[in-house]
Amino acid sequence: MCRIAGIIDKTKTEAQLVANVKAMCDAMAHGGPDDEGFYIEALHGIAFGHRRLALIDLSAAGHQPMFYNENRLVLSFNGEIYNYRELKAELLNLSYEFNSNSDTEVILAAYAEWGIKSFDKLKGMFAFSIFDTIQNVTYLVRDSSGIKPLYYSTINQNLVFASEVKAFKQTDYKYTNNKDWKIYFLAFGHIPEPYTTHTEIQMLPKANYMAWWHATNSFEIHSYSHVADENRINNYAEALEKVKKGLQHSVKRHLYADAAIGTFLSGGIDSSIISIVANQVIKNPSNLHTLSINFDETEYSEKAFQDLISKQINSNHKEDNINKTCFEKYFPHAMAAIDQPTTDGINSWFISYFARQNGLKAVLSGIGADELFGGYPSFKRMDLVEKLSKLPRFILKQGLRFNSQILKRAYYLSYKNTSGKYLFLRGFFNPQEIASILNLSVDEVDEVLKTANVGVMKSSLTAKQKASWLEYNLYMQNQLLKDTDAMSMQHGVEVRVPFLDKDLVQIVKEIKSDLVYETKKPKGLLVDAFKNVLPEKIWNRPKMGFTFPFENWLSTNEQFLSKFSGRGNKNVNAFIEDFKKGKLHWSKMIALYQVVD
């Protein structure tokens, strides 16, 4: 797990390339505290930079950028390849040689053997650049679930790329502010891919690669993964066994590391299952680290459920407490760590901070379970969304005339597209509120959101499959994964997500949707697969989610509130007063904090 950066620009001198790419890497040093490396090839104007967080093969043999095949291939890699040992064994049988025990070298050998077809063979989380000196092409590649970020910019026949948008700002290239980012952010609670705060900087789509042809300074972007939803498993017992074995295999893969690794244990279904399965895999509980966060405010505490699991598996358990004093001390650091605007990354900053304080460099998380197995309220509401979506536009637009927030959000359905359905389910501010905050008209807000390129769901999907698509491709993709990556890497901590293992995701896609979702309890298929080891007290209770008592702490935090003092916008002032009275969720205040100049 690392941070990568690169520039391809024939107009730059070698000194300029070095200065720019080093500045980019310095800006991301937090994500790669163990080592740094650079590759400069002035003839083609190429500069690769790398900051390393060493987890597999901690020796100097894992140094990057890494070379292979007599220096014909050059790689800068961020991530983990969980099937690298299987691939390595296959490549050894094909007479390939290796000088390290790293997964990085396996990527190079796999490319040497299979070319671009190798990208689909990789199972893990990754974003990398690979320069093929023979073909005179550089590839940028991103994993199939979009776990690791990879931003790029192509202007004036040059390419700049990095793991964080902040890195681009350290170069001598000029990037313009995306005039629409605040609209996206206030509507979605995040900036959806491929958009960023800058017009020229975009996110490479997941399961895609960019080919940059050096001879012509041109590029193409293609998908390397073409997996169809087969829905061939229609027996519940078979589905249970497939999910059980699939997750066990995934967790076993994800636990491999040459550095300290553990699990986040919130006390919910997903983290409890991950911790239980990890304990089964490790077999020696003293080697399994579990980490929990708690609060003085008992209404937010899940300590009883955390303790239940940690005692059941007899793990090496660590528990940290966050109080108002601790929060106020570190809150400015968490806000400064944000790469792209977000309403929900502060949680990840704090738990990653404590993971590092407890000596962990990698931690397993339960991200992906709710999206795959139907854990969110949206799975129950999607039938209603489908019915409401059929109403005429002029009726749906009347929602803004009412005081009800649900009716106001129904306005989004008048867009008659994917983003409209998502915003009805999870939208932050409604178009009227966004317009008032940004001093725009509702029509101006509509124009941006109606045309947002967030992907298109297949009309043939069932209502619950559509809910899964929205949660997986929008909420998880743009909020959970992006926040987790940015905030964990601020502390040099790698968060691994076993539920997004490529093989496990494929298993779920192959199960008929009524077996996955049509159960009496949320995530019923997942729970039933591990019911013999998962206590009923864990799964038979209301879902809490992972949150902090932010409203209590922020509503009296003068440093936070001072950002809004003296603002001339009466609408923003009204939101602030509502927040002080407990009538506005803290996440909306976090959003306002980032858009108010």
Side-chain angles (χ1 to χ4, degrees):
M1 186 58 63
C2 310
R3 281 297 188 246
I4 65 172
I7 298 171
I8 301 175
D9 187 348
K10 294 175 183 176
T11 70
K12 295 285 187 188
T13 65
E14 183 171 342
Q16 289 172 324
L17 289 169
V18 170
N20 275 283
V21 79
K22 188 173 191 315
M24 295 176 79
C25 287
D26 287 347
M28 301 185 292
H30 47 262
D34 297 330
D35 190 18
E36 72 172 355
F38 302 96
Y39 168 76
I40 310 295
E41 203 273 71
L43 178 64
H44 293 91
I46 299 174
F48 285 178
H50 190 268
R51 293 291 315 201
R52 186 186 184 199
L53 176 65
L55 284 145
I56 295 177
D57 191 348
L58 310 185
S59 73
H63 177 78
Q64 293 189 52
M66 185 177 286
F67 303 87
Y68 196 77
N69 195 13
E70 298 180 340
N71 295 346
R72 293 189 179 96
L73 301 176
V74 188
L75 176 73
S76 186
F77 162 55
N78 168 29
E80 303 290 348
I81 306 301
Y82 299 122
N83 67 329
Y84 81 96
R85 285 176 290 181
E86 297 96 311
L87 289 173
K88 186 173 184 177
E90 186 176 354
L91 290 161
L92 284 168
N93 286 333
L94 293 171
S95 300
Y96 281 84
E97 297 180 353
F98 296 88
N99 298 310
S100 73
N101 294 315
S102 71
D103 52 347
T104 309
E105 193 174 15
V106 173
I107 297 174
L108 285 161
Y111 174 80
E113 174 63 23
W114 297 298
I116 60 174
K117 291 182 179 179
S118 66
F119 304 154
D120 199 30
K121 292 179 177 287
L122 304 175
K123 297 175 182 178
M125 52 181 184
F126 53 84
F128 62 80
S129 61
I130 185 166
F131 174 38
D132 183 335
T133 64
I134 303 299
Q135 299 295 326
N136 201 19
V137 59
T138 289
Y139 293 104
L140 302 186
V141 190
R142 192 173 178 216
D143 69 71
S144 59
S145 288
I147 303 168
K148 303 313 296 179
L150 187 53
Y151 298 96
Y152 72 93
S153 174
T154 56
I155 53 176
N156 299 324
Q157 291 192 311
N158 64 63
L159 170 66
V160 182
F161 63 89
S163 302
E164 297 179 20
V165 172
K166 284 181 179 179
F168 290 79
K169 302 174 187 178
Q170 305 306 310
T171 69
D172 56 18
Y173 296 96
K174 303 301 179 185
Y175 300 103
T176 55
N177 193 50
N178 182 348
K179 64 180 179 60
D180 297 329
W181 79 259
K182 291 183 179 181
I183 296 176
Y184 292 131
F185 180 48
L186 291 173
F188 287 89
H190 56 254
I191 300 179
E193 296 182 13
Y195 307 108
T196 71
T197 50
H198 293 81
T199 304
E200 302 86 357
I201 303 172
Q202 294 185 314
M203 179 79 85
L204 183 70
K206 62 187 176 186
N208 273 249
Y209 70 88
M210 172 193 284
W212 181 273
W213 302 100
H214 294 278
T216 57
N217 293 330
S218 60
F219 70 94
E220 298 174 347
I221 295 177
H222 299 284
S223 170
Y224 62 76
S225 181
H226 305 280
V227 180
D229 297 347
E230 296 182 28
N231 289 166
R232 63 178 181 80
I233 300 173
N234 56 18
N235 179 277
Y236 196 65
E238 182 185 0
L240 291 175
E241 189 64 16
K242 289 278 189 181
V243 168
K244 183 177 181 179
K245 288 186 176 180
L247 185 60
Q248 288 172 336
H249 184 58
S250 172
V251 170
K252 184 176 182 179
R253 280 176 169 173
H254 283 69
L255 283 172
Y256 187 78
D258 295 321
I261 190 169
T263 68
F264 285 146
L265 179 57
S266 69
I269 292 172
D270 312 327
S271 68
S272 296
I273 290 176
I274 292 292
S275 298
I276 290 169
V277 174
N279 176 64
Q280 294 172 337
V281 171
I282 289 180
K283 296 180 180 177
N284 184 351
S286 63
N287 290 337
L288 177 63
H289 301 268
T290 52
L291 175 67
S292 297
I293 301 296
N294 270 299
F295 317 98
D296 294 335
E297 293 82 352
T298 56
E299 65 267 32
Y300 294 94
S301 176
E302 294 195 78
K303 177 175 170 56
F305 305 106
Q306 297 160 359
D307 290 346
L308 179 64
I309 298 300
S310 65
K311 289 176 182 177
Q312 174 179 317
I313 63 178
N314 193 28
S315 62
N316 185 351
H317 188 63
K318 299 292 184 181
E319 178 185 314
D320 289 284
N321 194 67
I322 300 177
N323 55 30
K324 189 172 187 289
T325 302
C326 172
F327 173 77
E328 290 184 343
K329 177 181 178 181
Y330 291 112
F331 176 71
H333 299 280
M335 291 301 295
I338 292 173
D339 183 43
Q340 286 291 275
T342 179
T343 55
D344 196 34
I346 312 303
N347 302 353
S348 297
W349 189 96
F350 274 95
I351 195 167
S352 298
Y353 166 79
F354 286 111
R356 191 65 184 195
Q357 291 298 303
N358 284 288
L360 299 177
K361 292 182 74 173
V363 187
L364 272 58
S365 164
I367 291 175
D370 285 314
E371 292 78 6
L372 288 172
F373 294 98
Y376 293 124
S378 58
F379 285 84
K380 293 182 178 179
R381 299 170 182 167
M382 202 64 201
D383 283 319
L384 175 62
V385 173
E386 291 296 279
K387 291 176 182 176
L388 289 176
S389 296
K390 292 181 171 62
L391 292 173
R393 281 191 174 90
F394 75 91
I395 293 179
L396 292 168
K397 285 188 173 184
Q398 298 305 309
L400 292 182
R401 299 175 58 186
F402 298 91
N403 290 327
S404 166
Q405 283 297 321
I406 293 178
L407 291 176
K408 286 182 181 296
R409 283 215 310 272
Y411 180 93
Y412 280 126
L413 294 175
S414 70
Y415 295 168
K416 302 290 184 178
N417 61 14
T418 299
S419 61
K421 291 180 179 180
Y422 177 83
L423 291 171
F424 174 72
L425 289 167
R426 281 195 176 271
F428 259 60
F429 292 97
N430 64 58
Q432 197 173 57
E433 291 171 329
I434 296 171
S436 70
I437 293 167
L438 301 179
N439 295 315
L440 300 171
S441 69
V442 172
D443 286 343
E444 288 175 299
V445 173
D446 282 347
E447 185 58 31
V448 172
L449 297 179
K450 281 194 298 186
T451 58
N453 177 24
V454 297
V456 180
M457 292 185 295
K458 294 178 182 177
S459 59
S460 59
L461 298 178
T462 66
K464 287 183 171 59
Q465 284 177 324
K466 288 180 180 179
S468 179
W469 191 99
L470 291 171
E471 299 289 9
Y472 192 95
N473 292 285
L474 294 180
Y475 179 63
M476 183 189 78
Q477 185 71 67
N478 299 306
Q479 188 98 55
L480 299 183
L481 291 178
K482 197 184 295 182
D483 289 350
T484 297
D485 175 81
M487 294 309 199
S488 64
M489 294 303 282
Q490 280 289 324
H491 304 286
V493 172
E494 173 182 286
V495 176
R496 299 180 176 183
V497 282
F499 281 110
L500 298 183
D501 178 82
K502 191 173 183 179
D503 290 339
L504 180 60
V505 171
Q506 182 58 40
I507 287 171
V508 177
K509 286 183 177 181
E510 291 177 356
I511 300 172
K512 289 194 68 174
S513 63
D514 58 347
L515 298 184
V516 179
Y517 308 121
E518 302 296 337
T519 57
K520 294 181 180 180
K521 54 185 177 292
K523 292 182 284 195
L525 179 64
L526 177 63
V527 169
D528 288 349
F530 293 93
K531 213 168 186 177
N532 64 322
V533 291
L534 185 67
E536 184 175 352
K537 288 183 178 179
I538 298 295
W539 58 263
N540 193 16
R541 65 183 179 93
K543 180 180 176 65
M544 279 188 68
F546 179 55
T547 187
F548 292 174
F550 277 174
E551 287 182 35
N552 298 336
W553 295 339
L554 287 175
S555 63
T556 58
N557 187 323
E558 292 302 323
Q559 184 179 5
F560 176 73
L561 294 174
S562 66
K563 173 80 179 282
F564 303 98
S565 63
R567 300 295 170 184
N569 189 322
K570 64 179 182 179
N571 301 297
V572 173
N573 292 335
F575 283 123
I576 296 166
E577 291 305 312
D578 283 346
F579 176 65
K580 291 178 179 178
K581 296 174 184 176
K583 297 180 180 179
L584 189 74
H585 194 267
W586 63 265
S587 58
K588 289 191 173 182
M589 280 300 293
I590 292 289
L592 290 174
Y593 187 90
Q594 293 169 80
V595 300
V596 171
D597 296 322

